[in-house]
Amino acid sequence: MSLAELTRNSYQCGVSPQQWLGLCKLLVQQQDVGVDFSTTISNAILELYRLYPADPTLREYLQLALSDGLLSNVVFVSTYIRAARDPELQNGSTLDMLCRLALNTHYASGLSPAGSIISLADSQVSVLSKVQDALALLRIAHSLPPSNFHQLIVSASELAILLLSCVTDMSQVTAAQAMIYLGDANDVLQSLRLSQELRQVLEGFVLSLSLLMGDDAKAVRDAQMLHTMQLTMGKNDVLGTNVETDTVTCGLLLQSLMACRTCDFGAGSDLEAVAVMTGTLRWTSWAPNVFCTQLLVAALTCVAQSSAKDDHESSFSLWRAFVVGRLPRLVFALTKTLEAHGTTEADWRAAMHAALLSLSQRTDLLAQCDVVTRHGNGHDSDQDNNTLHRSLIREFIQQLLAVGIIEYTFAVSMDPMMVNDPRTRLQSEAFDHGCSIETYLDSKLTLDSSPEDTLLLLEKIRQEPGSHHCFAAVVQKRFTSHSTSLDLEHLSHLTRTLYHHDFALDILSLHLKISYLICNALEIISEYDCETVGDPQTAVSHLGDIVLFAEMVLAKFRISSPIIKDGKMYRTELLRCTSRVYQLDELSPEHKSAFVTWYKAIFDSNSEGIDDALLRTTKPQILLQISATLFSQAALARQENRIDNDTLQTGMSYFLGPLLQWTLVGVIHAMLFEIGHRALVAPFHLAIVQTILCSPSCPVVVRRLCSPSCLRLLSSKRIQAFPQSPVLDISVIRATCFQTLGVNKDPSCKALEDHQISPATRWMDFPKQEIHEALALARRHKAPRIDVTRCLSATSPSRFLDLLWSELSVASSLGEMETCRRLATFVLAMPRQLSSAPPLLPIFMYNVLPCLITAIDQQQAAEKGMNTQLLRLGSSPAFVTNFPVFVM
């Protein structure tokens, strides 16, 4: 039995304080409970106070332990002021009782505060940390309802004065740490009504910190104070929002990292993502603790507003994977980058500690995460004693601890139950095998694993975000190794595993540049031939899995631009243009020869079919490029009665087998394109689509890639006019597509509003809707998002910037100036894939800004003043200073 269990059981069984003390001493003597038993006893009693506020028996337990020496006052003060941050303990009578007990024990000892309140062995950094906790207790005391039954404010003030008197030598404190403590003390001085004695002591503390900071640090501090002042001027000021409730800046940052995770500046890129975070930190001039707080609040806000269902990028699982599995590593990389600019590892640890303590006060946000987590995990019944939001926070704290951003003692103080947490399933399994998780995963992702075992393993990985980085590292290592050695058998197994499990691809996109895997695949597809292969049919089937994997990744993450890796450019047209139908005179001699040979082998009734010699003489790349043309010519030949239906069906059967089914994505898209252009003149094309798409042999990945395009086409009234026949039934195709996409809809319905092609007017309205939605989310204190790249696909950059200005001008006139500034900063300054969207800042400066200045000059005074304030953002040199990448 532990001391904590002994204390809890003794209290609940009515054991007297004297008997409890004797039992504790006996347990300490008989068992090796460790030298830190004082902390255990103090935490155990404080834990009971959460359930039994202001209980006098517990006070007797504490008083007896303190007077006997079993519990030192130094340990009690340290654990008390830290535990006071817990909302469950924030009862005025309880906190005052505990604080007064610590003070009376100190006064009775006759010792100085250094020795009674603070250990003589504590460093000044540790003392300052306790001063921060005491100031937090002071804020809590002022926030609780006043009462005639306790004097918590007086007690907390006395304790703060005693702790401040222990701050003597601050030579160990860095300028960055001093900045954090200075901001904390200034906030207390400016926002709370303090006693004269405490105010004098605190002002002396502030003066000492100011003298400690150099000129450069003071400049940063002044900039931060100015920024904070702008943010906290109150609701009557045009800036409006408080820094502690700002979710716009970091919300936009995180939404961008997630939405563009496969791009150059997304979450999957280490250096580029860190560069974006560094630019945001510099532009805001936030101190490290403020930046970390904003980042964590925005991260949990994104989780809270995500959907419990797996509906693409709004799913809870994906945000949980990012916040728990990826964000700690990005923050760690950021801290390492900024160490070269004056901050230290200790500075960032202190900042993250402060951020987590601040986050623990956001009970409303944690409650929202609780709801989403419950729905996301499929729990509708009552949960155990540990709430779900704490489970999410615990996972996050564990990952912060794993990468080294926070200290173990702090992590345990934030969540004492973390000590008793059992290992995760994967950790336990790896431990049982005597290896690391990475080695364990590497041993499981092999050809010997059955599909059921692989599915079970991937589900375990999905549920444990802490393992995602290891999984991505294993996949990257295997993919690179198998690609270099041209081991198609193992690479085929790996790619087939990945494209069958959608979330596995999401994990990879968060932790590595998944486009680099496409580069390896493109090299193999474009250069591979079967001329010297012993079994060409098996080799081509293996290569087909690589093709389907690459097509799935390109479609899922909308990768269309050329990919640059190690100075070499890889074009994706080989896989994105497989649906192109060529005229025979457009084909090169090599392609034309292959077309004639394959057409005769497949769609000639006198042919003996496909043999090894045919596979050896045709490069798979060429076969991929001519497959759509083969089917187009076959459909035309059937329409002209040059081949019969049996011959057409026999030819299609070759493509429904493992040998050629990897070419079907281009074939189906080609048929859909010709149907859309020829409609009733292409009846056999639609029959081909139905035969392939509805066949049990059609791979699920092919259906997934083709179903959206198919449903858009079938929503056309021209296509619905097709006469039904025993061999052609549009409702069957529609039902298959709906089932593939997981859409519950009646396949016989004629109006497919959800899948109709949007009219041009609705498409052109997308940029305005996107801006409106971003502003609406910001008003509700949620994390806004805006897809600038998609907006620029609907309109030109200059028109988009004009529209953005007009919408922000209206919003700023309603008192949302700060939100407008931050949204404009994101749009103009955030880097994007250059091949997808041009840099908007130069366009704004040289094309849009001169016209805006002219227009503002002609406005009325009130409107001119508001727009001039908004315009200062776009003409500020801060972008070039903090985001130099954008003007390149």
Side-chain angles (χ1 to χ4, degrees), residues 488-770:
L488 290 194
E489 184 179 15
H490 286 87
L491 191 58
S492 167
H493 174 265
L494 179 61
T495 53
R496 186 167 60 251
T497 298
L498 293 174
Y499 71 64
H500 275 149
H501 303 87
D502 204 47
F503 199 75
L505 296 178
D506 285 319
I507 293 174
L508 296 183
S509 70
L510 290 174
H511 291 268
L512 54 84
K513 278 197 170 183
I514 199 170
S515 56
Y516 283 3
L517 303 185
I518 300 300
C519 295
N520 294 337
L522 284 171
E523 283 190 341
I524 296 175
I525 296 168
S526 60
E527 297 175 6
Y528 192 80
D529 64 61
C530 303
E531 191 172 350
T532 59
V533 176
D535 185 359
Q537 295 197 27
T538 302
V540 170
S541 299
H542 288 334
L543 185 70
D545 286 321
I546 302 172
V547 172
L548 291 174
F549 165 77
E551 289 180 328
M552 182 67 183
V553 171
L554 291 177
K556 176 178 175 63
F557 299 111
R558 303 173 188 172
I559 301 174
S560 58
S561 308
I563 306 168
I564 300 177
K565 178 185 177 185
D566 298 332
K568 182 179 178 181
M569 180 179 291
Y570 296 83
R571 298 190 175 276
T572 58
E573 286 84 354
L574 171 62
L575 297 173
R576 292 190 302 104
C577 300
T578 55
S579 61
R580 180 179 176 184
V581 175
Y582 295 90
Q583 298 297 323
L584 296 184
D585 55 1
E586 292 180 305
L587 297 172
S588 66
E590 186 179 9
H591 285 70
K592 183 179 293 185
S593 174
F595 171 80
V596 172
T597 306
W598 276 88
Y599 187 86
K600 182 174 179 60
I602 295 175
F603 295 112
D604 190 331
S605 57
N606 299 319
S607 170
E608 296 182 358
I610 303 171
D611 56 16
D612 289 354
L614 180 59
L615 293 171
R616 286 195 172 96
T617 56
T618 307
K619 292 183 66 174
Q621 174 189 350
I622 294 178
L623 180 57
L624 186 64
Q625 292 171 326
I626 65 173
S627 293
T629 307
L630 287 171
F631 271 82
S632 177
Q633 291 295 321
L636 182 62
R638 177 68 188 92
Q639 187 173 348
E640 295 175 352
N641 290 320
R642 287 187 279 113
I643 61 173
D644 57 24
N645 194 58
D646 289 341
T647 303
L648 180 62
Q649 294 293 329
T650 301
M652 284 191 287
S653 66
Y654 288 112
F655 284 82
L656 286 170
L659 183 63
L660 298 177
Q661 62 187 10
W662 49 277
T663 65
L664 289 178
V665 174
V667 170
I668 294 177
H669 279 122
M671 296 297 99
L672 294 175
F673 179 81
E674 294 199 342
I675 293 169
H677 280 72
R678 301 173 63 181
L680 295 175
V681 189
F684 293 102
H685 294 73
L686 192 57
I688 290 173
V689 171
Q690 177 176 333
T691 301
I692 295 176
L693 210 58
C694 301
S695 169
S697 303
C698 181
V700 175
V701 63
V702 173
R703 290 179 182 162
R704 287 190 58 193
L705 292 171
C706 298
S707 291
S709 300
C710 190
L711 286 172
R712 281 196 296 269
L713 178 70
L714 296 181
S715 67
S716 169
K717 293 181 179 180
R718 296 172 61 201
I719 304 304
Q720 292 173 6
F722 262 94
Q724 302 294 310
S725 68
V727 295
L728 179 60
D729 189 347
I730 292 178
S731 65
V732 173
I733 306 175
R734 189 179 292 125
T736 301
C737 294
F738 282 143
Q739 182 180 8
T740 302
L741 298 177
V743 178
N744 296 321
K745 200 170 182 72
D746 181 5
S748 64
C749 64
K750 299 299 181 182
L752 301 174
E753 296 85 355
D754 293 343
H755 296 277
Q756 283 183 341
I757 301 175
S758 299
T761 53
R762 289 178 58 191
W763 172 249
M764 294 301 293
D765 284 341
F766 175 77
K768 178 182 287 189
Q769 294 172 357
E770 194 77 347

Side-chain angles (χ1 to χ4, degrees), residues 26-45:
L26 184 62
L27 184 61
V28 170
Q29 291 173 357
Q30 291 181 350
Q31 299 183 11
D32 183 13
V33 296
V35 296
D36 200 22
F37 59 85
S38 288
T39 304
T40 304
I41 292 174
S42 182
N43 282 331
I45 297 178

Side-chain angles (χ1 to χ4, degrees), residues 73-298:
N73 198 40
V74 170
V75 171
F76 174 59
V77 169
S78 177
T79 54
Y80 159 64
I81 57 178
R82 186 167 293 175
R85 294 177 182 265
D86 189 346
E88 295 180 4
L89 197 62
Q90 289 175 9
N91 173 277
S93 298
T94 301
L95 293 179
D96 183 49
M97 175 188 292
L98 295 172
C99 190
R100 184 49 56 184
L101 180 60
L103 292 171
N104 291 341
T105 303
H106 160 66
Y107 296 140
S109 70
L111 300 174
S112 66
S116 175
I117 299 292
I118 295 293
S119 172
L120 294 174
D122 278 356
S123 67
Q124 285 297 298
V125 174
S126 175
V127 174
L128 286 169
S129 176
K130 291 180 173 62
V131 168
Q132 269 194 310
D133 290 333
L135 295 180
L137 175 62
L138 202 59
R139 291 194 191 90
I140 293 169
H142 282 81
S143 67
L144 294 175
S147 172
N148 296 325
F149 299 99
H150 65 77
Q151 294 182 322
L152 178 58
I153 294 178
V154 175
S155 301
S157 299
E158 285 185 48
L159 184 59
I161 292 172
L162 292 174
L163 286 168
L164 284 167
S165 69
C166 298
V167 179
T168 54
D169 179 17
M170 289 195 287
S171 59
Q172 304 173 20
V173 181
T174 65
Q177 289 174 325
M179 190 185 305
I180 295 173
Y181 301 138
L182 182 62
D184 217 19
N186 273 325
D187 179 64
V188 171
L189 283 169
Q190 295 169 11
S191 59
L192 303 182
R193 179 177 293 181
L194 306 177
S195 66
Q196 187 63 30
E197 184 181 4
L198 177 57
R199 180 171 294 277
Q200 290 177 355
V201 174
L202 204 53
E203 286 174 348
F205 177 64
V206 168
L207 179 61
S208 300
L209 290 172
S210 300
L211 295 174
L212 178 66
M213 296 168 58
D215 292 338
D216 292 340
K218 287 181 182 178
V220 174
R221 193 270 318 267
D222 292 342
Q224 173 61 24
M225 288 179 62
L226 177 61
H227 185 71
T228 305
M229 180 184 68
Q230 291 175 343
L231 291 171
T232 57
M233 288 178 70
K235 294 183 178 180
N236 295 328
D237 188 84
V238 294
L239 299 184
T241 52
N242 186 282
V243 67
E244 296 183 358
T245 59
D246 168 35
T247 55
V248 177
T249 303
C250 289
L252 287 167
L253 169 66
L254 296 179
Q255 292 278 8
S256 175
L257 289 176
M258 274 284 286
C260 305
R261 57 188 179 275
T262 59
C263 300
D264 287 341
F265 296 93
S269 304
D270 290 321
L271 296 177
E272 293 86 348
V274 170
V276 173
M277 296 172 72
T278 304
T280 303
L281 176 61
R282 289 176 175 173
W283 171 72
T284 57
S285 298
W286 283 334
N289 63 321
V290 177
F291 176 77
C292 289
T293 302
Q294 299 288 42
L295 193 67
L296 299 194
V297 170

